[in-house]
Amino acid sequence: MATKKFVCKVCGYVHEGDTPPEVCPICKAPASEFEEIKKKGFLGGTNSNAYIIFYSVVMVVVVAALLSVASLSLQKRQYENTLNEKKQQIVKALGENPETVSYGDIISDCRLLDAQGNPVEGKGEKEVFDAMKDLKGSIASGIYPIFIANNGCVVVPVYGVGLWDAIWGYVALEPDMNTVKGVVLDHKGETPGLGAEISTPKHQAKYVGKTIYNGEELVGITLKKGGAKPNDPNFAHEVDAVTGGTKTSDGVTNMLKNCLGNYKAYFDGVRNAASAQTAESNNELNSENNEQ
Amino acid sequence: MSSKSLKYLTGPLSSDNPVIVQILGICSALAVTVQLKPAIVMGLSVMVVTAFSNLVMSFLRNGVPSRIRIIVQLVVIATFVILVDQILKAFVYDVSKQLSVYVGLIITNCIVMGRVEAFALANKPWASFLDGIGNGAGYAMILIIVAFIRELLGSGSLFGFRIIPESWYIENGGFYSNCGLMLFPPMALIIVGCIIWVHRSRNKELQEK
């Protein structure tokens, strides 16, 4: 490789040797028309394939390292932000203002329930919020988080699919496990102005006071296309669907029915205990009446 | 600071404004200008991304293989956008939620790519950095003007604080009502159009014959 290369400036012929040829064999140009091709710099200059591949590899490694460091160092803060947002939404579902009432003030207990409505032993707040991180996965594996307020209300998270993407929210129930105290709904990418209306306070206010049980059957809340009519027999379980957002509304209906259905065993347990108590107190009343 | 560097900063504010003269970055200007706060954060984010992409690309300009320079530019810009997105998520979570995908879409903002390709690859780092700041500021300025008008007339507030008294509203027995149209993206386009109109009528050299 000791030989130099010379290129003819007239026709582009490349000659190998220590000196340029006297005349170009192709176009007969004199030696003065020949120019030495200088060995290019690192890996053969900035436009050689080796340099481009080397450059790309180094670039990718540097960028990957930089982004990993940034992601790892900010992860904790980001997680706290999402956790805080979840807590605020739970407070909001209970009809309180998250700016004045904190999560700790109002929620006295949170649990993970199994399909029979029994709490899974030894699971504290940390495990509950870990389960909330992947709510879809938790629901699929039969673990259902529930938040119990100090006034006896409960809040359950719900998760479903709208028209375009995921929808989720929180439903707060009165201590009778039947009447809706409030809901918070949110979405990832429903159509703005149509399906996305589910996340507005105006829409969410419609759920308050509706009931999810029809007799012993858990029916959830249906978003009725064309509007819920007061003379409809199911009016207590219906709210107006979002105009122009029928698919999103159907998604919310299914989400509420499915997700609340997962808690039926628990709700029934609380309801039976409550009715047994009322029956008992009625009995006591009766016996007192008898005695008199 | 020399008059030349000053020109890099002030040129994009008026006579070479990326939004109202070059008509770049319109998409995000429509989407994030309903309220002032997200508009300001978005403007700052674009400014940071443009300035630092320009700076880095200007340092790399002699070593970048010209055949893959667009890809290298994209990687540099995308890196800064991801960093900005992560930082917003960690420190101003509510704003980052409002901006949602538009932070990620800074990558495709023509202003950033345009400045890197047209300026940073041919100029020294410091000049490129100033050019990035200037163009980011030019973009942010238009965003802020549009957001100011839209939030004031559309919601009656600025930065979320109520400016138009509650008692003025028709619901409360007053005479005033918010202009709902202001909340929709087409209105932003109309406002940008009006700004361009005013700007061109004051700058004769920008008018097409």
Side-chain angles (χ1 to χ4, degrees):
Chain A
M1 289 298 283
T3 55
K4 295 172 182 168
K5 282 184 180 178
F6 296 90
V7 63
C8 170
K9 282 197 279 188
V10 178
C11 64
Y13 167 75
V14 177
H15 172 83
E16 288 191 22
D18 290 331
T19 52
E22 279 170 24
V23 285
C24 173
I26 309 289
C27 63
K28 312 293 181 212
S32 58
E33 288 296 326
F34 276 83
E35 195 176 50
E36 189 183 344
I37 304 175
K38 295 234 169 66
K39 199 77 177 184
K40 285 190 178 155
F42 179 63
L43 290 175
T46 55
N47 272 324
S48 74
N49 287 341
Y51 181 81
I52 290 179
I53 292 170
F54 175 79
Y55 195 93
S56 318
V57 170
V58 171
M59 178 177 73
V60 167
V61 171
V62 168
V63 167
L66 187 73
L67 290 182
S68 318
V69 169
S71 169
L72 282 176
S73 53
L74 293 172
Q75 208 170 35
K76 198 160 163 269
R77 262 196 104 93
Q78 292 173 354
Y79 176 65
E80 273 166 17
N81 281 334
T82 49
L83 190 70
N84 195 23
E85 194 204 5
K86 281 181 184 138
K87 288 181 171 177
Q88 286 190 348
Q89 288 197 325
I90 291 169
V91 173
K92 227 164 110 186
L94 284 162
E96 304 286 348
N97 181 357
E99 275 161 32
T100 53
V101 179
S102 82
Y103 171 85
D105 291 344
I106 192 161
I107 299 292
S108 56
D109 194 10
C110 57
R111 292 175 195 159
L112 290 174
L113 301 178
D114 60 18
Q116 283 75 45
N118 299 317
V120 181
E121 289 299 320
K123 302 287 185 194
E125 188 180 302
K126 191 183 170 296
E127 282 82 5
V128 174
F129 278 103
D130 280 346
M132 292 285 297
K133 238 197 284 186
D134 177 23
L135 187 59
K136 194 181 168 190
S138 306
I139 291 173
S141 58
I143 298 172
Y144 311 114
I146 189 165
F147 302 88
I148 299 162
N150 47 21
N151 55 5
C153 296
V154 296
V155 181
V156 296
V158 291
Y159 184 94
V161 182
L163 172 58
W164 304 114
D165 215 320
I167 50 176
W168 63 91
Y170 297 87
V171 178
L173 297 174
E174 299 277 2
D176 66 358
M177 300 297 140
N178 185 12
T179 316
V180 176
K181 187 163 172 64
V183 294
V184 170
L185 296 172
D186 209 345
H187 63 90
K188 192 169 177 194
E190 298 306 302
T191 322
L194 302 175
E197 292 295 302
I198 58 166
S199 62
T200 58
K202 201 178 155 195
H203 176 75
Q204 290 167 13
K206 291 176 183 164
Y207 293 81
V208 177
K210 298 287 172 182
T211 51
I212 60 168
Y213 272 94
N214 186 5
E216 283 308 301
E217 193 197 353
L218 199 160
V219 292
I221 307 279
T222 305
L223 279 76
K224 181 95 172 169
K225 194 179 173 179
K229 306 277 188 306
N231 52 4
D232 194 297
N234 288 325
F235 181 64
H237 321 293
E238 284 174 355
V239 295
D240 300 346
V242 179
T243 314
T246 308
K247 290 279 177 203
T248 308
S249 301
D250 290 349
V252 175
T253 304
N254 289 334
M255 168 172 86
L256 292 176
K257 192 166 183 343
N258 294 340
C259 290
L260 291 172
N262 293 331
Y263 296 89
K264 188 172 189 301
Y266 177 82
F267 293 158
D268 284 346
V270 177
R271 280 158 63 88
N272 290 338
S275 60
Q277 215 168 24
T278 28
E280 216 168 87
S281 57
N282 281 346
N283 282 345
E284 273 170 27
L285 264 176
N286 287 343
S287 53
E288 272 171 29
N289 285 343
N290 288 345
E291 274 165 27
Q292 284 169 359
Chain B
M1 197 180 282
S2 68
S3 66
K4 207 177 162 197
S5 351
L6 202 64
K7 214 179 125 251
Y8 294 136
L9 275 180
T10 54
L13 289 183
S14 172
S15 63
D16 205 16
N17 190 288
V19 184
I20 60 173
V21 177
Q22 301 171 22
I23 319 292
L24 298 175
I26 291 289
C27 158
S28 53
L30 304 191
V32 299
T33 51
V34 178
Q35 288 169 330
L36 262 175
K37 198 177 169 194
I40 290 175
V41 175
M42 182 73 181
L44 282 178
S45 310
V46 169
M47 203 196 290
V48 167
V49 171
T50 325
F52 283 96
S53 311
N54 264 3
L55 184 69
V56 169
M57 282 313 294
S58 182
F59 272 120
L60 295 177
R61 72 187 187 281
N62 294 325
V64 177
S66 60
R67 277 194 281 168
I68 58 162
R69 70 174 194 288
I70 300 284
I71 299 173
V72 176
Q73 290 166 15
L74 266 182
V75 171
V76 170
I77 295 168
T79 310
F80 281 110
V81 170
I82 295 171
L83 281 178
V84 165
D85 192 26
Q86 296 275 337
I87 290 169
L88 289 184
K89 268 189 194 145
F91 294 98
V92 275
Y93 185 70
D94 54 330
V95 177
S96 119
K97 258 189 74 184
Q98 269 177 308
L99 291 173
S100 67
V101 296
Y102 290 100
V103 174
L105 286 179
I106 296 176
I107 297 171
T108 60
N109 193 321
C110 319
I111 299 171
V112 187
M113 193 91 172
R115 289 331 288 172
V116 170
E117 174 77 12
F119 196 90
L121 285 181
N123 286 280
K124 292 216 167 72
W126 177 237
S128 304
F129 184 75
L130 289 179
D131 181 78
I133 295 270
N135 275 281
Y139 172 82
M141 188 180 76
I142 301 302
L143 246 64
I144 290 168
I145 295 174
V146 176
F148 178 85
I149 298 173
R150 287 181 76 187
E151 189 174 354
L152 185 63
L153 299 182
S155 318
S157 58
L158 288 176
F159 292 105
F161 293 112
R162 185 137 295 284
I163 297 293
I164 293 165
E166 290 279 358
S167 57
W168 285 20
Y169 283 92
I170 290 172
E171 306 89 273
N172 302 331
F175 55 89
Y176 185 80
S177 137
N178 284 329
C179 175
L181 190 58
M182 283 288 171
L183 301 175
F184 291 102
M187 205 58 210
L189 197 60
I190 294 171
I191 296 173
V192 171
C194 293
I195 296 174
I196 294 175
W197 178 26
V198 171
H199 186 246
R200 294 223 168 166
S201 66
R202 294 174 61 95
N203 293 276
K204 295 275 183 263
E205 74 276 10
L206 291 174
Q207 293 172 9
E208 284 99 11
K209 292 273 149 50

